[in-house]
């Protein structure tokens, strides 16, 4: 770790920066010296074959996993590390707790709290973590439940909601923390085909009307193409190719990208 | 063929009821101790120190694989030779607490593991503290999972209390033995013991099942 020196990220620089990030499980290197910058208000899609490290990118940024090497910066300061002397050391839990709320995540399996209503799910963290009063937190939660079209089901427990409805509540729950960047990991993969559209519509409106910074892992090429500012193709823990949707989908340069796109587009 | 004698039944009833009180006290206090010991043993297997975890794990395995009666005799008859002298009641409570504490620690462990990993991750993504994660998300979901096991061991401890007669705790079995020895009548005392166990166990088990359903409903599970 002593080779790492803090990188100054200029004002107006990227909101998120992966600088030579390596993550391995035992002998398996899942992220291999990854470099990736996400700009403010950017919508970035991550595509790639299974096992290429897409989920891992989101998980290390959410601090659900620690990295082995490199540094992740968020909002102009290191996230995975904290300053020590002239260098950096791994972040303490306290350091992370002061910064983790800048990042929000929506999971493939929703992970709503089953013993709380939709509203409670959205109120809990703003009250406990951000220190909002119950009234403030409920106002905020109701606005967000309205945004995702779930205000009428606010008093329902997750077990009484469809998958699509649960996922919309999960999006509202993450938004209630007002994160600077939202991470979406295959948020429609666990859904029945007929409810995928309602979740995609919510993401569409977050992107177009609220210009939220988002990193989205997806297998839905059509949606990625429609909504993204930039698409990154992952292969074996690295970005093999990235570009605007038109560049990447219409004129891929990398052999792996071509093969992958052929395979998924043929399958559809 | 011995005839059932109602007059004798009523004559010994006060002593039997008093003994029932002792049985309930032994089961209740023993259970409370086991509930707490179980918690300590479960936490002892989840410490940051791997050595402590393994030691506690082995101790739990050891206690679980030896019979309650042997442990009871060991604490009451053998421990005094090493200078640890406990009364019959204290020996009984200590043994029941430890023995069933190991079983309850497994119930807790299973219940905690029954809470999906995704719940922990959601809490971390929402930046909850660990303490808050346990209190507000994990324990409320682990509790309904633990409840059937916890209920079983409550009834289980109650039904094991006759073993305490062997070290002289004046519970039901001990009292029935004494009555038999005094009067040479065994039919009524032992039948009453069995009957008393039945009329306490059955409603308790039923009540526990209702409690499980109620807790599950309160948690928003509509499919039960
Ligand atoms: N906790 C873990 N322990 C060991 N290996 C892991 C762990 N988590 C992920 N991996 C491995 O890391 C690699 C990358 O996993 P990751 O989940 O990031 O892939 P992915 O690109 O999201 O794939 P998919 O499209 O199937 O979701 C895989 O080979 C996976 O088996
Ligand atoms: Mg994945």
């Amino acid at each position: 770790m002593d080779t790492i020196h803090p990188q100054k990220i200029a004002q107006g620089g990227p909101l998120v920066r992966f600088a030579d990030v390596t993550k391995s499980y035992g002998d398996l290197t899942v992220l291999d010296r990854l470099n990736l910058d996400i700009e403010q208000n950017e919508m970035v899609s991550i595509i790639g074959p299974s096992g290429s490290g897409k989920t891992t990118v989101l998980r290390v940024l959410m601090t659900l996993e620690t990295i082995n090497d490199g540094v992740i910066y968020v909002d102009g300061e290191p996230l995975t590390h904290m300053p020590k002397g002239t260098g950096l050391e791994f972040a303490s839990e306290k350091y992370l707790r002061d910064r983790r709320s800048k990042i929000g995540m929506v999971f493939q399996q929703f992970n709503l709290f089953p013993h709380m209503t939709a509203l409670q799910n959205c109120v809990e963290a703003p009250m406990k973590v951000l220190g909002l009063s119950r009234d403030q937190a409920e106002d905020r939660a109701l606005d967000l439940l309205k945004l995702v079209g779930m205000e009428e089901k606010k008093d329902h427990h997750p077990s009484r909601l469809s998958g699509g409805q649960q996922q919309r509540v999960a999006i509202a729950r993450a938004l209630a923390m007002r994160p600077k960047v939202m991470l979406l990991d295959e948020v429609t993969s666990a859904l029945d085909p007929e409810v995928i559209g309602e979740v995609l519509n919510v993401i569409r409106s977050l992107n177009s009307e609220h210009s939220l910074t988002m990193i989205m892992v997806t297998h839905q090429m059509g949606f990625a193409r429609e909504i993204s500012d930039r698409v990154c193709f992952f292969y074996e823990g690295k970005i093999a190719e990235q570009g605007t949707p038109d560049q990447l989908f219409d004129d891929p340069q990398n052999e792996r990208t071509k093969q992958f796109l052929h395979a998924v587009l043929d399958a559809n | 063929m011995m005839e059932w004698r109602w007059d004798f039944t009523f004559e010994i009833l006060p002593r039997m009821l008093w003994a029932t009180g002792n049985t309930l006290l032994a089961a209740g206090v023993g259970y409370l101790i086991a509930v707490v010991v179980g918690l300590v043993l479960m936490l002892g297997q989840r410490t940051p120190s791997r050595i402590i975890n393994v030691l506690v794990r082995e101790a739990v395995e050891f206690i679980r694989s030896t019979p309650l009666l042997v442990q009871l005799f060991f604490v009451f008859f053998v421990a005094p030779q090493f200078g640890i002298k406990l009364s019959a009641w204290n020996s009984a409570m200590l043994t029941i607490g430890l023995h069933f504490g190991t079983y309850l620690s497994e119930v807790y462990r299973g219940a905690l593991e029954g809470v999906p990993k995704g719940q922990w991750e959601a809490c971390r993504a929402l930046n909850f503290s660990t303490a808050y994660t346990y209190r507000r998300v994990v324990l409320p979901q682990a509790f309904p999972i633990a409840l059937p096991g916890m209920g079983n061991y409550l009834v289980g401890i109650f039904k094991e209390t006759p073993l305490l007669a062997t070290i002289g705790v004046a519970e039901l079995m001990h009292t029935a033995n004494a009555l038999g020895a005094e009067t040479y009548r065994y039919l009524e005392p032992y039948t009453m013991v069995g009957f008393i166990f039945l009329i306490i166990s059955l409603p308790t088990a039923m009540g526990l099942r209702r409690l499980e359903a109620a807790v599950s409903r309160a948690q928003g599970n509509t499919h039960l």
Side-chain angles (χ1 to χ4, degrees):
Chain A
M1 271 303 108
D2 47 20
T3 56
I4 290 175
H5 292 285
Q7 247 171 298
K8 269 270 175 280
I9 299 186
Q11 285 292 320
L15 180 61
V16 176
R17 163 166 287 174
F18 286 76
D20 279 328
V21 171
T22 297
K23 168 70 184 173
S24 35
Y25 294 105
D27 291 341
L28 180 71
T29 302
V30 181
L31 298 181
D32 188 8
R33 298 184 69 88
L34 175 74
N35 287 288
L36 172 63
D37 282 359
I38 309 286
E39 304 297 329
Q40 193 89 43
N41 301 338
E42 202 181 11
M43 170 88 210
V44 175
S45 290
I46 295 176
I47 62 170
S50 182
S52 57
K54 306 182 298 293
T55 295
T56 307
V57 171
L58 301 190
R59 289 176 59 84
V60 295
L61 177 53
M62 189 65 255
T63 71
L64 297 176
E65 308 271 358
T66 54
I67 57 177
N68 301 88
D69 209 348
V71 184
I72 301 175
Y73 297 85
V74 172
D75 203 17
E77 58 177 357
L79 172 77
T80 50
H81 295 69
M82 54 189 189
K84 187 197 185 192
T86 56
L88 292 172
E89 64 176 353
F90 276 115
S92 66
E93 181 56 25
K94 174 168 187 325
Y95 183 88
L96 290 176
R97 280 216 75 206
D98 290 342
R99 286 160 184 80
R100 199 185 277 127
S101 297
K102 293 177 179 175
I103 308 151
M105 184 158 179
V106 181
F107 300 87
Q108 190 175 338
Q109 299 295 339
F110 333 133
N111 297 349
L112 289 178
F113 304 130
H115 55 303
M116 300 181 196
T117 64
L119 184 67
Q120 285 169 336
N121 264 279
C122 300
V123 161
E124 206 71 15
M127 276 179 68
K128 274 299 149 186
V129 180
L130 303 181
L132 266 59
S133 72
R134 178 167 292 281
D135 284 348
Q136 288 171 319
E138 285 192 356
D139 284 349
R140 183 185 283 195
L142 285 170
D143 281 347
L144 290 167
L145 287 174
K146 200 169 290 171
L147 180 79
V148 300
M150 287 298 295
E151 75 274 29
E152 271 159 33
K153 308 263 178 181
K154 69 180 171 66
D155 294 322
H156 286 212
H157 280 86
S159 57
R160 292 179 57 198
L161 301 174
S162 73
Q165 292 173 331
Q166 289 187 58
Q167 194 59 295
R168 285 187 280 152
V169 173
I171 292 173
R173 179 177 72 173
L175 289 172
M177 294 296 281
R178 302 247 168 103
K180 297 195 174 227
V181 53
M182 275 278 271
L183 314 181
L184 310 171
D185 187 11
E186 294 193 38
V187 295
T188 57
S189 295
L191 300 179
D192 293 333
E194 64 269 23
V195 299
I196 289 179
E198 67 195 40
V199 174
L200 295 186
N201 278 335
V202 168
I203 299 172
R204 251 184 216 109
S205 84
L206 292 180
N207 181 49
S208 58
E209 289 155 43
H210 303 269
S211 56
L212 204 68
T213 311
M214 287 191 268
I215 311 177
M216 174 175 84
V217 171
T218 185
H219 284 300
Q220 305 224 291
M221 297 304 146
F223 187 62
R225 176 168 197 158
E226 167 205 325
I227 193 175
S228 311
D229 298 312
R230 179 157 50 117
V231 181
C232 299
F233 173 70
F234 265 64
Y235 193 82
E236 292 183 346
K238 284 192 166 91
I239 298 177
E241 184 169 1
Q242 58 179 318
T244 63
D246 287 348
Q247 282 169 351
L248 198 102
F249 288 111
D250 292 339
D251 189 21
Q253 302 298 312
N254 185 302
E255 269 320 301
R256 302 291 187 192
T257 320
K258 289 180 194 169
Q259 281 171 11
F260 175 77
L261 290 175
H262 265 295
V264 290
L265 297 177
D266 282 353
N268 289 352
Chain B
M1 178 71 190
M2 208 172 196
E3 291 261 308
W4 180 272
R5 276 182 42 198
W6 283 107
D7 59 332
F8 180 66
T9 305
F10 284 110
E11 192 186 315
I12 65 172
L13 189 60
R15 268 177 81 182
M16 292 301 281
L17 288 179
W18 176 77
T20 305
N22 279 348
T23 292
L24 289 174
L25 189 68
V29 174
Y31 183 68
L32 286 183
I33 296 172
V35 162
V36 176
V37 168
L39 204 61
V40 172
L41 292 177
M42 183 268 291
L43 292 174
Q45 294 173 58
R46 293 169 77 93
T47 68
S49 154
R50 185 160 290 180
I51 303 164
I52 295 180
N53 297 353
V54 169
L55 284 178
V56 176
R57 163 100 252 148
E58 290 303 314
V60 165
E61 262 329 298
F62 175 75
I63 296 176
R64 273 158 55 93
S65 38
T66 50
L68 178 61
L69 187 61
V70 175
Q71 292 168 6
L72 197 60
F73 276 27
F74 196 87
V75 170
F76 188 65
F77 295 114
V78 182
Q81 299 182 358
F82 296 94
I84 306 165
K85 249 181 123 61
L86 294 174
S87 69
W89 265 95
N90 287 344
S91 302
M93 294 300 94
L94 176 72
T95 313
I96 287 185
L98 260 182
H99 185 86
F100 286 94
T102 62
Y103 285 99
L104 281 166
S105 78
E106 289 296 296
V107 170
Y108 300 149
R109 197 170 63 90
L112 278 184
E113 280 166 11
V115 177
K117 218 169 110 256
Q119 294 289 307
W120 287 93
E121 296 186 341
C123 288
R124 199 166 159 87
L126 291 169
N127 210 359
F128 288 163
S129 68
T130 307
Y132 192 74
T133 301
Y134 267 108
R135 186 156 62 78
R136 190 71 179 105
V137 176
V138 175
L139 293 182
Q141 291 182 67
F143 183 62
I145 307 176
L147 204 53
M150 291 179 73
N152 281 346
Y153 285 117
L154 174 62
V155 178
I157 288 178
F158 174 63
K159 289 197 296 195
E160 293 293 353
T161 51
L163 285 181
L164 304 185
T166 57
I167 61 167
V169 172
E171 46 67 68
L172 268 172
M173 196 63 186
H174 188 266
T175 304
N177 287 342
L179 284 166
E182 288 163 23
T183 62
Y184 301 106
R185 290 197 65 86
Y186 296 96
L187 175 65
E188 291 85 356
Y190 288 133
T191 308
M192 285 168 81
V193 170
F195 184 69
I196 289 170
F197 270 96
L198 193 69
I199 60 170
I200 294 174
S201 289
L202 273 185
T204 307
M206 264 165 54
L208 284 169
R209 225 158 299 140
R210 283 201 182 172
L211 181 66
E212 285 162 28
V215 167
S216 182
R217 263 197 314 279
Q219 300 247 321
N221 290 334
T222 46
H223 54 270
L224 282 167

